Amino acid sequence: MKNNKSISLIICFLLVFTLIGCSGKNIEESSKTQNTQSEISGVFEGKSFGHNGEILLSLELDSGYIKEITLLEHKESEGISDLAIERIPQEIINEQSIKVDNVSGATITSRGIINAVTDALKNANVVIEKYKLEKVAETIQVTNKELDTDVVVIGGGGAGLAAAVSAHQNGAKVVLIEKMPRLGGNTILSGGAYNAVDPSRQEKQGIEDSIEKHFNQTYEGGDKKGNPELIQTLVEGAYPAIEWLESLNMKFDDKVFTVLGGLWPRAHKPSSAVGTGFINTYKNYIDNNDNIDIIFDTEVTEITEIEGKVNGVIAQSRDTNYKINASKGVIIATGGFANNSQLRDKYNTQWPSLTKLKSTNHPGATGDGLILAEDVGANLINLEDIQLLPMGDPATGSLSGNVEQGVENRIFINNDGNRFVDEGERRDVMTKALMEQEDSSMWVIVDTHSYPTEDTRNNFNESIEELMAQGRAFKGETIEELAEQIKVNPKNLKKSIEEFNAAVENKAEDPFGRTLFENKLDKGPFYAGKRVPTVHHTMGGIEINSKAEVIGKDGKIIKNLYAAGEVTGGIHGSNRLGGNALADITVFGKIAGKNASSNN
Ligand code: ADP
């Protein structure tokens, strides 16, 4: 997150004037003429809310012409909002209109900037309507392009990036295609928790763990529906993949923790905020090496084959039709379908209707890879296994804004102030219990053990101070005061906390059978944040083997086709442990890249 970041965007004023002067008239140009006829000049400030807080900008008008937009202050997340910050002010200047398109994947930031510009225009006392002209549809010249490479990777989330880097390290020339304008997929939105049995870090904290325990918790936590061979590959590969990331200069904190639904303290936290550590690590590698290229804003629409062997892809951008030949292989890393409500409804058998639920996922999580793979004969498995989390932001469904700092030191209470579930349970168990509460909403309660100071940040790089300012967290010096703030019964809240504290001290059995504890909730101030169910992960997908090769409906591998990450099925069974996804996408992305690069 960047504070007080200032980005100055200046357009060549004279050039635009020259263009207006010498071209024929259309609506867009006449708007420029109207605005430039206005007498208003000067610098005006405007503000609005983005994703994480207030956006403050200045706007320079020269006789009504928008000449410069400068972001003065914002708290938008690095990696996710960068493109909106770069593109939206420039487009507003180019179009001389606030009717510009949002940047996909950064809609709230885009809207925040547009609203702040609108506010500045209001402060300038201009006629806003003059700056609301629709963009004139451009005629786009579409060209055809054919490229040759060794390996094509479809998707630039964590799995695709791991696959691309690994394929390149193993000697392949790589082209990665990403349909969004940015890298990162869900990884960059995640809290970054990565499960691995780690002899050095866990031992220092006195945590007993083993590959066998991680295997059993993953297998049993998924109702024994996962493929044991794939699970073994995951749990054995998780720590070596951390070492691989470290060899690429990624840093992890020393302390491991238990992430929500992770069942055991083996989650590693990247030292950089949220998922940026992973994505910047890969990006850095790609930026510093030849023969590994990314094509953005381009959607793969078909996987091609010849004589029973996959040999490339067809992809489309706004202005280019690509045919990309891949001599060694194609890796599908397109993620899941948590953001495709039609597919969710089609496959959901376990939950009440999912139609109206929000999702934690990025907008590109639409299940494209399932269709691409099925078209070349891939077998799809366990699509009914859709994971919900009890941890969605009530307004957006996102994971951000979550006040918890690890499972051990927080409880959940319903709107009556009562606990209702073992908060160390599996994700599906907690979500089902939440859905039975009034409004399907709950409060996560923490105390000073989680926030020793108010600038302490959560896993999403948000401080409790910022969350309170945004109305996403509440505080009480005492339990009664907190109860009053969040309008729950104070007696019930007090009793819930007392019972929990007695269980922490081992004076009593926890009424919900909870076993994961660290500190009592006894050090005010106390804080609360509201949470609702949200669609998080789709566990089913393309069937693969432990070499990340795609299995066809006939049970045989499809030659030169690999898949990794959330697009695959068979690893997590019917319930994925928290912290296992980042390990899965890294381990299998790495395997897919290596194996694809070794083909002839
Ligand atoms: P994973 O965690 O498995 O890496 P993510 O959902 O995080 O999955 O990332 C998948 C990436 O694939 C996203 O960046 C998404 O935009 C991209 N993607 C999805 N479908 C396509 C497609 N048809 N063509 C290109 N990129 C795609």
Side-chain angles (χ1 to χ4, degrees), residues 153-162 176-188 279 295 297-302 314-316 332-337 361-369 372 537 564-568 581-582 584-586:
V153 179
I154 317 173
L161 285 165
L176 183 150
I177 321 256
E178 169 54 55
K179 73 173 175 178
M180 305 294 280
R182 64 165 176 87
L183 294 174
N186 281 329
T187 297
I188 209 154
I279 304 309
I295 305 177
D297 289 310
T298 300
E299 184 171 321
V300 172
T301 52
E302 193 186 329
I314 303 290
Q316 256 117 41
I332 309 174
T334 48
F337 58 93
N361 281 213
H362 68 91
T366 47
D368 302 11
L372 293 171
H537 191 101
E566 195 174 337
V567 73
T568 65
L582 288 174
D584 161 17
I585 65 178
T586 316

Side-chain angles (χ1 to χ4, degrees), residues 268-395:
H268 294 65
K269 186 174 169 176
S271 303
S272 303
V274 288
T276 57
F278 292 94
I279 304 309
N280 289 344
T281 300
Y282 297 127
K283 200 170 163 297
N284 196 31
Y285 180 92
I286 294 168
D287 288 347
N288 287 301
N289 282 285
D290 293 331
N291 289 328
I292 175 164
D293 295 312
I294 303 172
I295 305 177
F296 284 107
D297 289 310
T298 300
E299 184 171 321
V300 172
T301 52
E302 193 186 329
I303 292 170
T304 56
E305 24 175 22
I306 187 163
E307 292 165 5
K309 226 182 197 184
V310 161
N311 71 341
V313 300
I314 303 290
Q316 256 117 41
S317 75
R318 219 165 140 252
D319 57 8
T320 312
N321 291 330
Y322 289 95
K323 177 172 175 7
I324 308 178
N325 306 310
S327 60
K328 291 176 185 277
V330 170
I331 301 170
I332 309 174
T334 48
F337 58 93
N339 239 333
N340 183 332
S341 63
Q342 273 173 338
L343 284 188
R344 271 161 31 178
D345 285 345
K346 178 172 169 188
Y347 295 120
N348 173 34
T349 53
Q350 301 170 8
W351 299 97
S353 170
L354 297 178
T355 316
K356 294 217 168 104
L357 285 197
K358 298 190 166 73
S359 166
T360 59
N361 281 213
H362 68 91
T366 47
D368 302 11
L370 303 178
I371 296 151
L372 293 171
E374 213 173 20
D375 284 350
V376 287
N379 195 34
L380 305 183
I381 54 171
N382 305 341
L383 294 168
E384 67 286 2
D385 292 323
I386 298 174
Q387 179 166 81
L388 269 58
L389 283 188
M391 276 298 172
D393 181 290

Side-chain angles (χ1 to χ4, degrees), residues 390 420 430-437 440-442 531-533:
F420 55 91
M430 291 187 284
T431 312
K432 275 180 187 143
L434 174 58
M435 284 174 146
E436 284 162 16
Q437 310 307 305
S440 289
S441 72
M442 69 175 186
R531 298 277 105 181
V532 298

Side-chain angles (χ1 to χ4, degrees), residues 108-133:
I108 300 176
T109 304
S110 304
R111 256 192 257 134
I113 297 172
I114 295 166
N115 291 340
V117 169
T118 311
D119 187 46
L121 289 169
K122 279 186 191 150
N123 292 337
N125 234 344
V126 294
V127 181
I128 305 276
E129 290 312 308
K130 287 186 183 171
Y131 298 91
K132 281 193 179 167
L133 290 163

